[in-house]
């Protein structure tokens, strides 16, 4: 499959590397130049691993969603059907599914636990905390997202 990715930051570069390894043809656009693309830590795991992380996929076109879910699997993550685009708020900042690195069963539970009324408050609390905290590690960000949105 021919795939284009705009942005070669942590996410774009990781996706590009994994999709290329899975045999896809990639085009990568990056405003910071080719030297900014770096080797990143591997988070993806082979299918069937108990610690494999899951990624939610929402969409209104079943065929397009199936393609997206196949690509998620090809990058080393379990794909979770997160419903329609109108349901995608359940995976936005301030919800239990956002930036919390969950397994498939835990992600399904997190998507179901999302509370539309609490989401803006959670999101704003996280942003304020992150802005005042200075430099945070990835693990600290995940831990704070889990704690505030639980």
């Amino acid at each position: 499959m021919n795939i284009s990715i705009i942005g070669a930051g942590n996410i774009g570069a990781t996706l590009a590397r994994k999709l290329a390894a899975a045999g896809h043809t990639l085009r990568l656009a990056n405003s910071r130049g080719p030297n900014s693309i770096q080797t990143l830590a591997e988070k993806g795991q082979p299918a069937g691993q108990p610690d494999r992380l899951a990624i939610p996929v929402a969409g209104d076109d079943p065929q397009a969603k199936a393609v997206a879910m196949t690509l998620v699997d090809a990058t080393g993550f379990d794909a979770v059907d997160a419903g329609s685009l109108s349901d995608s708020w359940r995976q936005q900042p301030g919800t239990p599914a956002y930036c919390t690195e969950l397994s498939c069963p835990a992600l399904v539970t997190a998507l179901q636990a999302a509370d539309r009324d609490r989401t803006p408050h959670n999101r704003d609390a996280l942003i304020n905390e992150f802005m005042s905290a200075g430099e945070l590690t990835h693990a600290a960000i995940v831990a704070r997202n889990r704690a505030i949105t639980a």
Side-chain angles (χ1 to χ4, degrees):
M1 179 181 303
N2 294 323
I3 301 171
S4 296
I5 298 174
I6 299 173
N10 290 343
I11 295 171
T14 300
L15 289 172
R17 188 176 61 254
K18 290 177 177 255
L19 291 168
H24 300 285
T25 302
L26 275 277
R27 298 224 187 264
L28 190 60
N30 180 13
S31 65
R32 294 176 293 154
N35 293 335
S36 67
I37 300 172
Q38 57 185 312
T39 304
L40 302 169
E42 295 289 329
K43 291 258 182 191
Q45 298 284 330
Q49 295 287 25
D51 58 346
R52 192 175 199 215
L53 299 180
I55 296 178
V57 178
D60 293 333
D61 179 332
Q63 185 177 5
K65 191 162 42 170
V67 169
M69 292 178 78
T70 299
L71 292 172
V72 166
D73 182 64
T75 60
F77 299 92
D78 286 331
V80 171
D81 188 334
S84 67
L85 287 178
S86 64
D87 295 322
S88 66
W89 68 269
R90 295 179 177 278
Q91 56 183 294
Q92 295 302 311
T95 65
Y98 183 79
C99 195
T100 50
E101 297 190 354
L102 302 171
S103 66
C104 190
L107 181 57
V108 169
T109 299
L111 289 166
Q112 293 169 348
D115 181 331
R116 191 182 288 260
D117 294 330
R118 282 185 46 207
T119 296
H121 170 74
N122 292 345
R123 179 199 59 229
D124 294 346
L126 284 163
I127 289 171
N128 289 334
E129 185 173 326
F130 292 155
M131 289 178 65
S132 64
E135 188 137 349
L136 293 169
T137 65
H138 177 77
I141 292 169
V142 170
R144 290 310 303 148
N145 273 295
R146 286 181 177 181
I148 288 181
T149 63

